[in-house]
Structures are given as C-alpha cells and as structure tokens.
Amino acid sequence: MRIDERITERYAGLSPQEQRAAQTLLEHLDELATYRSAELAEMAGVSKATMSRLFRHLGFEDFDEVREHLRELRSNGEPRRVDGAPSLSAHLAHETESLRAALESPAIPEVVALLAAARRVLVVGWRNSHPVALHLRQQLTHARGDVRLAPLPGQVVGEELADLGAGDVVVAVGFRRRPAGFGDFLVEAGATGATVVLLADGTARNHAARATHWLECPVSSTLAFDSYAAAMSVVSVLADGVLSAAGRSARDRASEITAAYSRLSEVEQ
C-alpha cells in the first residue's frame, strides 16, 4: 500500500499528535523525501519521537524506509517528487543518456528492414503507450501502406489479430504501467505467425522473450513524470529508415498524401 493509503486506513487509530503529523505528511507528499524527519516534525508541531512512532505505525522502520518507498513508487511509474527541486541541467544530462541508450540498440536496423518489407504492420499500445503507438503508425503511414493501429475506441485487439500471419509485423508498445494482459497479448500475437517487436522500457524485460526483437527505450526521469523523448526519437529513426528503404515508392506516397492534404484543406498552408 502507498503511504497515503496507509495513513487513510490507520488514521482513526493514531493519537491526536500522530494525526497532526500524518496530515503534514499528506500535505507535503510530493516533496516528502526532500525533508529530514526532524524538519517534518517541526512543520507538524510535534516531537521527533512522535514522528518516529507515526512511521512505525504506518509500517516503516524509519524515515529512510519511507524515502525508499517513495522511490519505489516512482520507479513503478507513479509521479512522485523524491529528489528535491528539479535541476534542468541534470534533466538534460539524463535525457541525453536515455537517447544514447535507446538509439544505440543493435536491433534498430533489423526492425527497420522488417517494417519496410512487411505485408502488414499492426502497432498496438495501451494507456501511456498509446500516444507513442499512434505516432509510430502516423509516421510509418507516410512511408508505406497497410499500417494499422490498435486498440481504437470501442475496439478489442483480437479482431486485429485475426488477419495476421507470416510476413506481418506487430509492434507492441509497452511502457510501464502496462495492462495486466500484456504478456498474454504478446503470446497471442506471436501465435499468428507474425514477427513481434517489443518497444518498451526496462520494466518489460520479463516480456522480451515473447518478442522477436526488443527495442529498449528508457523513460525514467529526474522529474516527477516519465519522459518519452527517447521513445519518440526511436519512432522517428524507424520511420526514417523505412522511408529510405522504400525509396521512390515511399517518396511518391508521401507526395500524394501531401497533395491530398491540400485538396481537402486539412492542414494549414
């Protein structure tokens, strides 16, 4: 249970002083780990001993264990500020390293070749993975035909798997906080005979064996929320590679799409 859930569950059993301390924790939850235990006690107007008793009543040995709990929440994708005021220079350095790690993947050329040659491409992504999947589908559509996106509103993915077979490619975008059935989907997608590509962060490592190729894109950040800069950059690299591999046919297709935009007045001139 998260610390705020523990406080809610056990609040009635706390002493008045502990309740005051618990309320202070809730009020400062997002930056809780930037304080020392003594500072929190002072802010709450209670003794350090009271604050320590509260931590134990909530199931923590001490404040260090509270900090570790907050870091675990962050590593699981829950937005929590745990390292003090944000440093943009540290954020930039972290983003740069994430980009380097993602773009140096030796699997990228193989995936590009698969996407360029596939009969059909199905890109799948749920929740926070869906925008990355949507962008990949949109980019690939300019370079080649028959690129599908799932799930669409009101759609179940099983309908899309029915038409897949050898020569097709499924790109499963699966960043952390994936739906519970994600692993089952990978198995089902592979059973169609299609080649499965997993585009995900390191928390999907246990799913990698169910895919033919795994493109690992770090999303961890020095900020409260995950960053998808590396993932979006990989999308651009994949689409660019497919555009290049397809040659003249891709350039003609992109030109035709642009002309259609103009005829339909769909984009600003």
Side-chain angles (χ1 to χ4, degrees):
M1 295 177 64
R2 300 195 313 264
I3 185 172
D4 53 331
E5 294 175 334
R6 299 187 194 195
I7 290 173
T8 299
E9 181 183 72
R10 304 170 194 182
Y11 190 81
L14 301 176
S15 70
Q17 290 292 89
E18 289 170 348
Q19 288 180 349
R20 183 189 302 177
Q23 189 60 40
T24 298
L25 297 186
L26 290 174
E27 290 170 357
H28 298 277
L29 199 58
D30 283 344
E31 69 272 11
L32 194 59
T34 67
Y35 296 104
R36 290 179 287 113
S37 180
E39 291 174 322
L40 291 169
E42 184 177 354
M43 290 165 58
V46 300
S47 68
K48 290 186 288 185
T50 297
M51 189 62 73
S52 295
R53 282 196 303 272
L54 172 62
F55 294 146
R56 290 194 294 273
H57 286 165
L58 295 177
F60 301 105
E61 184 67 28
D62 51 30
F63 190 51
D64 286 339
E65 195 167 305
V66 174
R67 289 177 185 271
E68 184 59 32
H69 170 72
L70 294 170
R71 290 190 177 94
E72 288 177 1
L73 291 178
R74 181 67 190 88
S75 67
N76 288 331
E78 182 168 333
R80 292 288 180 189
R81 287 280 302 283
V82 297
D83 293 317
S87 165
L88 293 184
S89 60
H91 176 62
L92 175 60
H94 191 87
E95 292 285 83
T96 300
E97 177 58 25
S98 294
L99 284 166
R100 184 200 62 76
L103 296 177
E104 287 183 354
S105 170
I108 286 179
E110 298 175 70
V111 174
V112 166
L114 283 169
L115 294 174
R119 181 185 62 147
R120 176 184 295 118
V121 176
L122 175 65
V123 187
V124 183
W126 290 267
R127 303 187 72 255
N128 50 318
S129 298
H130 188 75
V132 179
L134 176 64
H135 190 54
L136 176 57
R137 186 266 171 189
Q138 190 272 338
Q139 297 289 79
L140 289 178
T141 296
H142 284 266
R144 53 153 298 147
D146 208 354
V147 183
R148 304 178 183 182
L149 176 70
L152 297 175
Q155 175 194 23
V156 291
V157 180
E159 298 167 351
E160 294 297 321
L161 294 178
D163 294 329
L164 295 179
D168 297 328
V169 174
V170 176
V171 181
V173 185
F175 293 102
R176 58 188 173 190
R177 311 198 94 174
R178 294 170 291 276
F182 187 78
D184 293 335
F185 167 77
L186 292 178
V187 172
E188 194 70 22
T192 66
T195 300
V196 179
V197 176
L198 175 61
L199 177 65
D201 66 289
T203 65
R205 185 169 284 103
N206 61 315
H207 294 302
R210 300 182 177 99
T212 307
H213 297 286
W214 178 31
L215 297 177
E216 182 177 358
C217 299
V219 294
S220 63
S221 170
T222 61
L223 306 181
F225 293 89
D226 286 343
S227 170
Y228 293 87
M232 286 300 196
S233 186
V234 168
V235 164
S236 295
V237 168
L238 293 176
D240 179 81
V242 173
L243 186 71
S244 177
R248 179 61 181 272
S249 65
R251 292 193 296 272
D252 290 345
R253 178 181 175 84
S255 296
E256 290 170 4
I257 291 172
T258 299
Y261 286 164
S262 180
R263 290 192 299 271
L264 296 171
S265 299
E266 288 189 308
V267 295
E268 191 175 57
Q269 298 298 314

